[in-house]
Amino acid sequence: HNSSLIRANKLVQKLETEVLCRGATFQEIDSDDPRRLALDWITNDDEMSLDLDAKNLNQRYILALLAFSLNWWAWRGDQDGNTESIYANEGNSAWLSNEDECSWYNVTCMGGTVTSLQLNNFSLMGGLPPEISRLPFLAGIQLKGNLLHGTIPPELRFLPFLTTLDIAQNNFSGEILRSVGGIKMLELLALSGNGGLNGTLPSSLYELSNLRMLYLDGNDFSGSISQEVGQLILLQQFTISDNPITGVIPSTLGLCKELELLLIDNTDIQGTIPEEFCQLKNSSRQDYDALYIKADCYSDYLKCDCCDVCCDHNTHQCFQDNQDNPDDSGAKLQENQTYDSTDTIARTIEIKQKIESEVLQRGATFYEIDFDDPRYLALEWILNQDEMRVPSDAPNLVQRYVLALIAFSLDSEAWDDDELFPSWFSGEDECTWYNVSCFEGRVLAL
């Protein structure tokens, strides 16, 4: 009994220090609070009974916390206590079972570390706990089509490897905080159909240089689309329909040359679709044939010479090619609004683990490193900006990362000067970079 009490006290201290957010302590938390329920479960009911120094203790607690936060009884079976449910099939274990949490339904792990949660369309209810940000290598959060509510936790900015955040078709409310700009590796942001998300679009949203899919339709966003949208040069799909957005379509949207889908109907946007953007429809590149535009251009509320579907701003009825032909493109739009980031997630985690184990010194980990630290900046460059896009098993990955680390450590701005260092940070082999000497592909001198 004494040993159990000592373990419980130490567990409380550990979780308060390493997991709980916003200065919370268990002493001030109510007994029916999900954080307390998760503590009681992992202390008394979890037959795995992990040691305090177990690598997966924190993540097991956080997943239990998520279960208790989101209609917890459903994770153990149905309301009648039956454990044979959709949460335990296809070779997966039920949530809150005594099995390894990496085997729990739709939890993806790499090397025993949680990297992705795929829990779409399960009618889960509750709020998203900020402690989810304590899963340091989480790359995918997919919670589309549930009954979640509350605000989006600003702590998500502490997930440096997050590439996919899909919380569409829920009941989230409040503003998109400026902290969203801290999720540097984000490629998909889906907030569609929440209804209660409001406020203006923060400028930090346009700093997500890796963003490919941005779904904002079906909310209450106001203000206008900034000229800064042109910074999202990788953007492929952008939907902002069904929002009281005003202003005009920025001409800089024409810089988003990868764009294939733009939905801006049922908004208060007026003016004219910029020629720079319509030119994407006429591009000689074959992959632009799929560019699809839907806007309030019926009767020239918004003038558009290149839209595929025009909607009446007053009746919201839509027609193809601005003619009186009803729009039947719904199926096409559903097909277009997809994105698979599985390969990106795997590559991100594998490269991170390789560099931590083979390069970083003094026991450092990326979870502890600040976002402006040269070691993190070099990792971000390797993962997202490097045109070579080396795979995780490439023999030159480590030395390419180290050279990038040197550059970021020694006045990184100078390395962008084409006159001083014409080839550093290029997509070419690092052995061709300025004043780098190699022998058989291995760096020998700088």
Side-chain angles (χ1 to χ4, degrees):
H1 175 74
N2 288 337
S3 61
S4 298
L5 185 60
I6 292 174
R7 177 183 180 274
N9 289 334
K10 289 184 176 181
L11 179 59
V12 165
Q13 294 174 358
K14 178 180 175 64
L15 295 177
E16 286 181 345
T17 303
E18 301 177 9
V19 178
L20 296 190
C21 294
R22 306 175 187 178
T25 64
F26 287 109
Q27 185 175 2
E28 61 188 18
I29 293 175
D30 293 335
S31 59
D32 59 350
D33 186 290
R35 294 167 293 183
R36 171 69 73 174
L37 296 174
L39 174 66
D40 292 342
W41 175 80
I42 207 165
T43 302
N44 303 312
D45 299 330
D46 183 13
E47 293 182 9
M48 185 169 279
S49 190
L50 294 174
D51 293 333
L52 294 176
D53 58 355
K55 173 185 175 182
N56 62 325
L57 176 61
N58 286 358
Q59 77 174 14
R60 191 170 177 85
Y61 169 82
I62 293 169
L63 293 185
L65 168 58
L66 184 64
F68 283 106
S69 298
L70 307 182
N71 193 17
W72 73 272
W73 54 262
W75 304 79
R76 306 192 73 159
D78 59 27
Q79 296 188 60
D80 297 324
N82 299 318
T83 57
E84 295 296 328
S85 72
I86 61 172
Y87 304 101
N89 63 17
E90 300 178 357
N92 297 119
S93 305
W95 280 63
L96 298 179
S97 73
N98 297 316
E99 304 298 324
D100 188 309
E101 67 277 5
C102 286
S103 71
W104 291 0
Y105 185 77
N106 277 12
V107 174
T108 301
C109 294
M110 293 188 66
T113 300
V114 175
T115 59
S116 180
L117 302 171
Q118 298 173 298
L119 299 168
N120 296 328
N121 303 310
F122 286 151
S123 299
L124 299 173
M125 296 182 290
L128 192 60
E131 285 77 11
I132 196 173
S133 66
R134 302 296 196 185
L135 295 172
F137 305 122
L138 194 60
I141 299 175
Q142 298 182 57
L143 293 167
K144 178 181 178 179
N146 288 292
L147 301 170
L148 309 185
H149 56 78
T151 58
I152 302 172
E155 288 84 359
L156 293 182
R157 71 184 186 277
F158 297 129
L159 291 171
F161 302 107
L162 189 65
T163 62
T164 299
L165 177 59
D166 187 352
I167 54 174
Q169 308 302 323
N170 281 285
N171 295 309
F172 285 103
S173 58
E175 299 183 1
I176 301 178
L177 300 180
R178 287 178 294 177
S179 57
V180 71
I183 314 176
K184 297 295 185 181
M185 295 188 185
L186 201 61
E187 296 185 5
L188 180 147
L189 177 60
L191 306 178
S192 304
N194 276 282
L197 292 173
N198 54 39
T200 59
L201 304 182
S203 59
S204 60
L205 185 66
Y206 306 111
E207 297 173 4
L208 299 174
S209 58
N210 296 297
L211 203 60
R212 287 168 168 80
M213 310 291 167
L214 179 57
Y215 304 131
L216 303 176
D217 51 287
N219 285 291
D220 194 29
F221 294 121
S222 57
S224 60
I225 302 173
S226 169
Q227 289 280 352
E228 295 175 289
V229 71
Q231 298 174 184
L232 304 178
I233 59 174
L234 300 180
L235 195 62
Q236 298 174 9
Q237 299 185 11
F238 180 28
T239 67
I240 198 166
S241 304
D242 302 306
N243 280 286
I245 290 284
T246 59
V248 298
I249 296 296
S251 60
T252 53
L253 195 61
L255 299 175
C256 304
K257 299 185 182 299
E258 302 294 325
L259 201 63
E260 60 186 34
L261 177 68
L262 176 66
L263 305 184
I264 52 173
D265 56 295
N266 195 21
T267 67
D268 292 326
I269 295 174
Q270 291 187 277
T272 302
I273 296 289
E275 180 181 354
E276 293 88 344
F277 182 70
C278 281
Q279 287 176 353
L280 295 181
K281 296 278 286 188
N282 302 319
S283 171
S284 59
R285 289 180 55 184
Q286 293 182 356
D287 55 351
Y288 286 141
D289 292 342
L291 179 56
Y292 183 92
I293 311 172
K294 185 178 182 182
D296 289 337
C297 46
Y298 189 77
S299 300
D300 288 338
Y301 179 84
L302 171 67
K303 295 183 179 180
C304 180
D305 295 330
C306 57
C307 287
D308 298 274
V309 173
C310 285
C311 301
D312 188 308
H313 180 72
N314 296 315
T315 66
H316 309 309
Q317 188 174 4
C318 298
F319 307 91
Q320 293 184 12
D321 301 319
N322 206 11
Q323 304 298 318
D324 293 333
N325 300 315
D327 171 36
D328 59 359
S329 59
K332 176 180 179 180
L333 298 184
Q334 288 298 321
E335 292 175 0
N336 278 343
Q337 294 189 52
T338 60
Y339 181 66
D340 184 4
S341 61
T342 303
D343 291 341
T344 298
I345 292 173
R347 176 176 177 267
T348 295
I349 299 302
E350 289 169 0
I351 288 179
K352 186 278 307 176
Q353 292 176 338
K354 184 178 181 69
I355 292 175
E356 280 188 341
S357 63
E358 299 183 15
V359 181
L360 298 190
Q361 302 294 309
R362 304 173 186 174
T365 65
F366 286 112
Y367 181 59
E368 304 167 331
I369 293 174
D370 293 333
F371 294 155
D372 58 354
D373 187 292
R375 294 167 294 181
Y376 180 82
L377 295 175
L379 176 67
E380 185 180 18
W381 178 80
I382 283 283
L383 291 173
N384 300 311
Q385 281 89 46
D386 185 8
E387 295 177 4
M388 181 172 279
R389 195 167 176 80
V390 292
S392 59
D393 58 354
N396 66 325
L397 170 64
V398 167
Q399 74 176 16
R400 194 169 178 86
Y401 170 81
V402 173
L403 291 181
L405 171 57
I406 291 173
F408 280 108
S409 298
L410 305 179
D411 188 4
S412 62
E413 293 183 0
W415 302 84
D416 294 327
D417 191 323
D418 291 339
E419 294 182 2
L420 293 177
F421 304 100
S423 58
W424 280 68
F425 287 125
S426 73
E428 303 299 324
D429 188 306
E430 65 278 4
C431 287
T432 68
W433 290 1
Y434 182 75
N435 278 8
V436 174
S437 298
C438 293
F439 177 73
E440 295 184 349
R442 298 296 183 182
V443 175
L444 296 182
L446 302 174

